Structures are given as C-alpha cells and as structure tokens.
Amino acid sequence: MQASVVSAKDLCLTYQTNDGPVHALSDVNLDVRKGDFVSFIGPSGCGKTTFLRVIADLEKKTSGEITVNGMTPDDARKARAYGYVFQAPALYPWRTIEKNIALPLEIMSYAADDQKKRIAEALDLVNLSGFEKKFPWQLSGGMQQRASIARALAFDADLLLMDEPFGALDEIVRDHLNEELLKLWARTNKTICFVTHSIPEAVYLSTKIVVMSPRPGRVTDVIDSTLPAERPLGIRETPEFLKIAHRVREGLRAGHSYEE
Ligand code: ADP
Ligand code: MG
C-alpha cells in the first residue's frame, strides 16, 4: 500500500462572512496516495479551491482532520511539501522567464548555482528550454502557463497542486498541455491534485476523480479510473473512457440543484 500524501477525515471549513456562515467544505473524507493524479471536479463554489488552499496551509480547517505527508499543513508548508499552480499564470511582466522561476528560490535563499540548475531542469520538464531570457508577454498563453508550472516544479516538491491551470486556454492548446502534463507526471513520479471544470480533462488525466457539489461543499463521488497508464489522446473515444465520463456527469447532476 502506498503512503498517504493527503488524508482528510470529516474535514469542514466554514467561512464567516457578513451574510452569515458559508459552508465551503462539509465532512470531506479523502485519501490521496503517493503517485496519484487526482482531479477535483464540480460547479463553481463547491469548495475545490478551498480544499487546495487547506492542503497548502493558505486556509485553516474549521474541524475534522487533514494531514499532508503525514504532517499538519503548517509543517508540510515549512518542509516545502508542494508546488502550487494558480488559475492565471501570475508571472511578473518585468522579470524574464528564468527570473520568474527563480523568484521563490531567491526568497528561500537557494545558492545561485543551485538556482540555475533547478531552473534549467524545470524548464526542460515543461519543454521551454531556450526561452529563459524571454519576458512573459513574448510567450503564448499556453507557454506562460507552462512557465508557471516550471516555477512550481523548481522546488522539486513531490506534491503538485494545480487550480484550473488550463481553464483559460483554447481546446487544442489544452489537449496538448494535457498530454504533456501526463508525460511530466510519469517522468517525475509526482502526486498531483488538479482542479478542473472539464469532464474530458478530468477523465483523461486522472487515476482518481473526486466529484464535488456545492452548498454545502462536499464530495459526492470518488471514481478510481480503470484506464491504462498509457493514454494517447484518442483514448477519449473509447467505450471505457466514455463510461467513466458518464459516471462523472451523473455525479455532477446528482449534486446539482436547479433551484436558482
Ligand atoms: P470553487 O473553487 O469550487 O469554485 P471555492 O473554494 O472558491 O469554490 O469557494 C467555495 C465557497 O466558499 C463559495 O461559496 C465561495 O463564495 C466561498 N468562499 C471562498 N473563499 C471565501 C472567503 N475568503 N471568504 C468567504 N467566502 C469564501
Ligand atoms: Mg476555484
């Protein structure tokens, strides 16, 4: 049995707002194992981002249990347990690609030659070698998002948290990046927690799909993928793929309220 990278037991998070409490996460139970590729899918407001932020220690749970690499999120953050990729690339326009990737390494006081080595490795992993001296605005949207993935990889953390990283990209670019991400995952043996709105993206990428529903944010289904590790894009037309996609859709429909 593989070790638990993220383990949540009866995890709840309630935001206190001027309009009263918002139950962003309610009794979430989940086990993410080493090497898993887990997608979180569900409508806007079901707590996907909140869950990633709890793992990353950017939000505090209200009750229940959560461990990251067997530690509290606070200790895991201090041990640099994860890299975080945001929805928008969030690159500084006045810094070159290599300087953007270097920024967190600078903050953590990595030695200059270590920084250089890590930047080169991370750029190689996302196929951006040769673009180190470019500025973000000289790159396409897809390349910018690859650069922000490289930045998250530079620590070489075993866990990668990705919040709708390809949501703003057109479908062809997204297909390509999905393929690349699977290759990167296979090459690096990382554990990935990936948020998406897209059923095909979730099914194509994941070993495990977590279907969520809002008000209160909760997990309605957890699907272990039966697809093989080797996944050419054409796998999306196979009966096995469509069967899993159907189950995700049913899960989303079951959790959906049409009241508003
Ligand atoms: P998702 O990423 O699935 O769209 P979020 O995790 O961003 O959902 O949000 C879940 C719920 O919590 C939503 O109702 C959202 O409005 C609310 N929420 C998120 N962040 C905050 C916050 N900082 N303060 C108050 N409410 C918040
Ligand atoms: Mg979100």
Side-chain angles (χ1 to χ4, degrees):
M1 193 92 150
Q2 292 279 48
S4 217
V5 176
V6 177
S7 171
K9 288 195 184 65
D10 303 327
L11 181 73
C12 297
L13 190 148
T14 304
Y15 292 109
Q16 300 300 339
T17 73
N18 292 337
D19 299 329
V22 175
H23 301 288
L25 295 172
S26 173
D27 290 321
V28 171
N29 287 287
L30 188 69
D31 222 11
V32 176
R33 303 253 146 204
K34 190 164 168 40
D36 268 348
F37 195 125
V38 183
S39 284
F40 297 85
I41 187 164
S44 193
C46 70
K48 304 181 295 293
T49 295
T50 299
F51 189 59
L52 286 199
R53 290 177 61 85
V54 173
I55 297 171
D57 195 40
L58 299 169
E59 301 286 352
K60 297 285 180 206
K61 67 176 186 186
T62 306
S63 65
E65 298 299 328
I66 174 113
T67 60
V68 182
N69 288 343
M71 295 176 252
T72 64
D74 179 42
D75 287 339
R77 176 177 50 76
K78 287 175 186 151
R80 297 171 196 161
Y82 63 84
Y84 203 117
V85 181
F86 299 92
Q87 189 161 0
L91 301 167
Y92 291 107
W94 60 86
R95 283 187 162 235
T96 60
I97 294 305
E98 67 180 356
K99 290 287 180 196
N100 265 286
I101 298 171
L103 187 58
L105 302 174
E106 286 171 14
I107 292 169
M108 301 283 193
S109 309
Y110 280 76
D113 51 343
D114 191 19
Q115 284 189 27
K116 241 183 143 152
K117 190 171 133 266
R118 285 168 180 270
I119 292 166
E121 280 168 8
L123 282 171
D124 180 46
L125 277 170
V126 299
N127 292 326
L128 273 184
S129 301
F131 291 89
E132 9 320 71
K133 306 287 181 209
K134 300 279 186 202
F135 287 92
W137 44 269
Q138 293 176 296
L139 268 53
S140 68
M143 289 165 92
Q144 289 181 27
Q145 201 48 289
R146 270 151 60 190
S148 72
I149 294 170
R151 181 179 51 192
L153 290 169
F155 285 123
D156 202 23
D158 288 337
L159 174 62
L160 205 50
L161 306 173
M162 308 181 80
D163 194 353
E164 300 194 48
F166 309 140
L169 304 172
D170 71 57
E171 221 166 315
I172 304 294
V173 174
R174 179 194 280 225
D175 279 358
H176 179 62
L177 290 181
N178 280 346
E179 264 189 306
E180 302 264 299
L181 182 59
L182 272 192
K183 283 186 202 148
L184 188 152
W185 172 67
R187 254 174 93 183
T188 57
N189 256 320
K190 296 210 182 285
T191 308
I192 300 185
C193 291
F194 185 96
V195 170
T196 179
H197 268 113
S198 158
I199 297 175
E201 186 170 67
V203 179
Y204 177 71
L205 292 173
S206 314
T207 57
K208 193 190 278 250
I209 303 157
V210 178
V211 184
M212 296 177 72
S213 87
R215 280 174 296 269
R218 63 195 189 282
V219 173
T220 52
D221 197 5
V222 179
I223 303 165
D224 286 308
S225 181
T226 48
L227 295 178
E230 191 70 30
R231 299 182 187 179
L233 279 174
I235 203 168
R236 296 178 302 181
E237 269 114 72
T238 62
E240 195 61 34
F241 186 99
L242 297 173
K243 200 173 128 199
I244 301 169
H246 178 76
R247 179 162 160 197
V248 176
R249 194 168 287 112
E250 290 292 303
L252 290 172
R253 200 173 285 150
H256 196 95
S257 117
Y258 292 96
E259 283 154 23
E260 45 207 304

